[in-house]
Amino acid sequence: MQHLRSSFWIGLYFIVAVAPLLAMLVEPPPGRGFWREFAVGIGFAGLSMMGLQFFLTGRFRSFTAPYGIDVVYHFHRLISLIAFAFLALHVGALLLASPELLLLLRPASAPAWMVTGVIGFLAFVVVIVTSLFRLKLGLSYEVWRAVHGYLSVAAVLLGVVHIMGVDYYTGSPVKRGLWLVMGAAWLLALVHVRVVKSFLQLQRPYTVAEVTPEQGRSWTLRLRPVGHDGIDFQAGQFAWLTLGKTPFTLREHPFSFASSAMERGEVRLTIKELGDFTSRIGDTAVGTRAYLDGPYGSFTIDGNRAPGFCFIAGGVGITPIMSILRTMADRHDRRPVLLLYGSKKWEEVTFREELEELKQRLRLELVHVLEEPPPRWTGECGLITAELMGRYLPENRMDLEYFICGPGPMQQGMRWAVARLGLPPHKINSESFNFV
Ligand SMILES: Cc1cc2nc3c(=O)[nH]c(=O)nc-3n(C[C@H](O)[C@H](O)[C@H](O)COP(=O)(O)OP(=O)(O)OC[C@H]3O[C@@H](n4cnc5c(N)ncnc54)[C@H](O)[C@@H]3O)c2cc1C
């Protein structure tokens, strides 16, 4: 069923992306040479793919569920580059085929369709460059996100106006209608994530009931639902958190649920101090209004019949795994669990006491791996490697399901380790805390 759903969405994506190309073939106007028509076709496909990005990032649960939202965001990044390459090819091939078009660029006399095309393309250039080099350009996540959102909308709309203005392949009402419907659908996807979702959150507010310090410069926020019965999530999933009076804001951040999915009502999020939002999380006043958009993600053991699990956590990557362990304990799930937990120092090991306690309620083998161990430490040191994993994995390692959550370098290291150990790729689940 899951395979069917994922194939359906991929098929639909492909059909919509090439729909404008297919429409070109219906009652085509006289040809103007291969390269000019190639330029138009590739431009249509590029713009159509760019417009579809609003669906990819629109947080439609039925669409993201078969893949996991992080995979969808990864696809969004890759496909945007391909779409941008198509648009660049459109410009390049057009100028090659018809260099006289350059004459139309004179500011005083440039036709509106040319102006919209050029400005739209430049907006795409800014969107792509700021996304690829955000950190090098010193842009904060919030500034980047605002630039990314507003310029993407402007660029796509200008693209549609450009096509309508050129009016070569959009002569018939059906073809014009196709672009108008597609443009409207892209905008609706945006309205869905920015307006509809915020409105739904407004109906289901939370209040911060408790803020507790944790080891490892982290804080746990306990959120109590106000006037509703809370959120139904699967252990390992996450939600976008907004703190403050209104959910109609771009200042929202994704955090995994840390509490057991079996607890009804209140939820807990454990947040590590990192940047401008998280470094002030410990100052959040009890009683602050909060909103959650979720749950999202497929980093979960729900419905998984594996005979046992191996969890690999690095730093604050322990949070979704903690939720899974707490849930397993509440469900009296007695399947064996191996947890390899990498931290820098012993003092920074988040949840270390509770993990010890969980050993009483779970068949849990817990292995701490410290980068900077204290004197007389007899446990594992350094990084989690294939060799270390090999020493702890049981004989039925091929049957286990693996869940990896940690910083980027650790995820990369684990990909190598998993390949070296020959573990089946379809049994590896990983959660990245970096969408961008
Ligand atoms: C699926 C998922 C689950 C996560 N779960 C947890 C968790 O349980 N506990 C925890 O401490 N952290 C978690 N994070 C990471 C957390 O979202 C970031 O640390 C936080 O948003 C950083 O915000 P900042 O303003 O403090 O830092 P910044 O310095 O502004 O950002 C640091 C990095 O965090 C990412 N980031 C920042 N803001 C956002 C945003 N609004 N949306 C997406 N990414 C953003 C960017 O990659 C950025 O480079 C999770 C991230 C993801 C994607």
Side-chain angles (χ1 to χ4, degrees):
M1 189 62 190
Q2 195 81 322
H3 282 307
L4 263 181
R5 274 173 70 189
S6 63
S7 311
F8 169 77
W9 287 118
I10 291 172
L12 190 64
Y13 179 90
F14 185 73
I15 290 171
V16 177
V18 299
L21 279 181
L22 298 179
M24 276 174 78
L25 302 176
V26 182
E27 295 174 22
R32 296 161 298 176
F34 173 78
W35 285 109
R36 185 129 186 205
E37 302 313 332
F38 168 79
V40 175
I42 203 106
F44 276 17
L47 187 64
S48 173
M49 285 158 73
M50 281 297 190
L52 279 169
Q53 303 302 316
F54 293 119
F55 277 97
L56 295 183
T57 53
R59 299 188 202 165
F60 293 95
R61 223 164 284 148
S62 54
F63 169 55
T64 55
Y67 318 96
I69 200 165
D70 52 337
V71 173
V72 172
Y73 270 78
H74 190 64
F75 180 72
H76 160 64
R77 284 198 298 269
L78 285 182
I79 210 76
S80 302
L81 292 180
I82 296 174
F84 179 70
F86 281 9
L87 293 176
L89 261 176
H90 165 71
V91 175
L94 258 188
L95 292 182
L96 214 69
S98 317
E100 70 279 3
L101 285 174
L102 273 175
L103 297 174
L104 294 177
L105 275 176
R106 270 190 294 249
S109 56
W113 59 263
M114 179 62 106
V115 175
T116 49
V118 170
I119 299 179
F121 181 70
L122 290 179
F124 277 130
V125 172
V126 177
V127 167
I128 295 289
V129 169
T130 50
S131 300
L132 289 178
F133 306 108
R134 176 175 74 84
L135 292 178
K136 284 198 178 123
L137 292 169
L139 289 178
S140 76
Y141 188 86
E142 279 73 20
V143 170
W144 167 80
R145 200 172 174 199
V147 169
H148 192 79
Y150 292 124
L151 277 190
S152 301
V153 175
V156 164
L157 288 183
L158 285 167
V160 175
V161 175
H162 168 70
I163 287 173
M164 296 292 178
V166 176
D167 199 19
Y168 196 71
Y169 275 104
T170 52
S172 77
V174 174
K175 290 183 192 171
R176 289 183 86 79
L178 177 70
W179 278 107
L180 288 177
V181 167
M182 289 202 328
W186 300 336
L187 282 186
L188 280 180
L190 190 71
V191 169
H192 175 255
V193 70
R194 292 271 65 96
V195 182
V196 177
K197 288 222 158 240
S198 302
F199 184 75
L200 292 175
Q201 288 174 62
L202 200 59
Q203 316 301 310
R204 297 173 69 82
Y206 290 78
T207 186
V208 176
E210 193 178 44
V211 183
T212 323
E214 304 277 2
Q215 269 138 347
R217 293 190 358 263
S218 301
W219 299 82
T220 292
L221 257 57
R222 194 154 55 80
L223 304 180
R224 180 175 301 151
V226 179
H228 59 99
D229 52 3
I231 190 167
D232 220 5
F233 67 93
Q234 295 177 0
Q237 289 189 303
F238 71 95
W240 263 272
L241 168 73
T242 307
L243 288 178
K245 289 196 180 72
T246 170
F248 291 91
T249 167
L250 284 177
R251 290 190 67 89
E252 46 167 8
H253 294 259
F255 296 105
S256 306
F257 295 101
S259 41
S260 163
M262 300 300 283
E263 289 169 27
R264 287 282 156 252
E266 293 183 348
V267 291
R268 279 171 286 158
L269 309 175
T270 296
I271 299 174
K272 184 172 177 126
E273 293 176 5
L274 185 76
D276 51 351
F277 174 76
T278 49
S279 58
R280 283 179 273 118
I281 201 76
D283 301 331
T284 310
V286 168
T288 302
R289 236 331 98 121
Y291 299 93
L292 290 177
D293 176 23
Y296 294 101
S298 53
F299 190 77
T300 169
I301 66 164
D302 280 31
N304 196 306
R305 290 166 187 225
F309 300 100
C310 171
F311 297 112
I312 303 172
V316 75
I318 189 69
T319 44
I321 292 171
M322 197 62 191
S323 173
I324 295 175
L325 294 177
R326 284 168 167 160
T327 306
M328 286 181 82
D330 287 347
R331 286 182 184 156
H332 308 289
D333 190 330
R334 298 295 295 166
R335 285 178 286 180
V337 171
L338 168 65
L339 170 58
L340 304 174
Y341 183 8
S343 309
K344 204 160 199 116
K345 299 177 178 166
W346 184 237
E347 312 82 76
E348 291 180 8
V349 181
T350 314
F351 302 129
R352 76 180 191 210
E353 275 85 22
E354 190 181 340
L355 282 169
E356 279 305 316
E357 287 163 22
L358 276 171
K359 281 188 189 169
Q360 314 302 318
R361 301 175 63 203
L362 291 168
R363 284 176 65 196
L364 169 65
E365 182 179 3
L366 171 60
V367 181
H368 286 288
V369 185
L370 298 181
E371 270 184 70
E372 296 173 18
R376 291 188 291 283
W377 171 257
T378 54
E380 296 290 351
C381 312
L383 301 174
I384 303 174
T385 59
E387 187 272 323
L388 185 143
M389 285 171 73
R391 275 191 278 124
Y392 289 96
L393 284 173
E395 268 180 18
N396 68 341
R397 60 183 63 175
M398 294 297 169
D399 303 327
L400 302 186
E401 193 80 18
Y402 294 78
F403 289 82
I404 304 166
C405 188
M410 183 190 136
Q411 302 252 10
Q412 183 58 42
M414 285 301 97
R415 273 194 280 276
W416 283 101
V418 160
R420 266 196 62 191
L421 290 165
L423 301 173
H426 66 278
K427 289 187 177 286
I428 313 295
N429 307 268
S430 66
E431 180 84 304
S432 166
F433 277 6
N434 278 343
F435 281 163
V436 188

